[in-house]
Every structure is written in C-alpha cells, then in structure tokens.
Amino acid sequence: MPTRTARTAWDGGFEDGSGQVELTSSGLGTFEMSFPKRSSDDGGGATNPEELIAAAHSSCYTMQLTALLGKAGATVNAVETSADVSLAPDPDGGFRINRIALTVRAEAEGIDATKFKEIAEEAKETCPVSKALEGVDDMTLDATLETAS
C-alpha cells in the first residue's frame, strides 16, 4: 500500500500565527488554519486537525463498512457517515481528543437491521483509522439501516 503525505506550513506564533495544510499526495487542495479559528464554534472558514481527523475517520469507516457488508452478501446502495471529533483539556496538560461520535445511515439490500448493526460495529473496531485512534476515551456509533425510497 502506498504512503500518503500532507504538509503544513505555519507563520507566526501559536495564538497569532496561521498556516496552510496541503493534501500533497492527491494535490486536491490547500486549506487555511489558525488557532483562533480552530477554537471558534464555526471554524471561521478554516480547517483544523479535528476536522481532518473527522474526514479521515468517516471516509475510512465508510469504506470498511461497505467492504464488510459486501462480504456478508449485502448489496449496498448508499452510505452516509459523519464523524464528530471533540477536543477537550487533557488532565495531564494541554488538550486531547476525548470523543468521536460516528453516525451512519445506509441503504442496503439482503441484510436485516440486526445484522447491519453487528457489521457496523465490526467496521468501527476494524477500520484502520479507528485502530489508530484507540486512545480516544469515548468512541460511539449510531448506525441505522434505512429502506430505499
């Protein structure tokens, strides 16, 4: 498997500085970031590490879920996953990611809701990003199998 690369360039200090994070491997974009925007409720039009982790986790989880559903004989029509990543003070100093809440809604045929929830939980435990984030205190999953409309 290939190695993926991102690069961050930063100017100034922690509280008054700003930077850009670049998705180097794919070349898909460069995104602004700063601490004041990181700690604002709306993000101020900039990204931050927690949002990037949420993107990585939701995408990895979705791929793992679809792989496991296919392996179980289900036909996946659509999956939508969101990840809410929370930053909190660390009792040992600084900050840490203390909670990740995954929410998934899927349309799939050939599987019932009980088996879907079992597979959804397995995907949470086995996706590579979940494994990388094992130190997070609270990782929850809200998984729902919806009927096709």
Side-chain angles (χ1 to χ4, degrees):
M1 297 298 289
T3 298
R4 302 295 182 208
T5 305
R7 182 184 72 80
T8 299
W10 189 267
D11 295 312
F14 174 67
E15 291 191 25
D16 65 346
S18 63
Q20 302 81 36
V21 60
E22 171 188 86
L23 305 180
T24 310
S25 298
S26 65
L28 288 176
T30 301
F31 304 94
E32 299 297 318
M33 52 189 244
S34 75
F35 180 73
K37 292 178 180 181
R38 179 183 188 181
S39 57
S40 71
D41 286 336
D42 67 0
T47 194
N48 56 68
E50 295 75 40
E51 183 177 49
L52 295 170
I53 289 171
H57 203 183
S58 67
S59 60
C60 182
Y61 174 84
T62 299
M63 286 188 236
Q64 183 71 355
L65 177 62
T66 58
L68 292 174
L69 287 169
K71 185 177 175 183
T75 301
V76 178
N77 298 320
V79 176
E80 184 174 312
T81 306
S82 64
D84 296 326
V85 175
S86 299
L87 189 67
D90 187 335
D92 294 330
F95 294 91
R96 67 184 311 245
I97 293 170
N98 69 326
R99 184 170 196 281
I100 299 175
L102 292 168
T103 303
V104 62
R105 302 293 178 257
E107 292 179 12
E109 299 170 22
I111 191 164
D112 65 28
T114 301
K115 184 67 174 173
F116 172 79
K117 286 189 184 246
E118 178 184 308
I119 291 172
E121 189 63 39
E122 180 183 354
K124 181 182 78 121
E125 300 302 321
T126 60
C127 100
V129 173
S130 288
K131 290 177 183 180
L133 297 170
E134 285 180 347
V136 174
D137 297 331
D138 184 24
M139 191 179 301
T140 63
L141 175 64
D142 174 5
T144 302
L145 179 64
E146 299 178 338
T147 57
S149 44

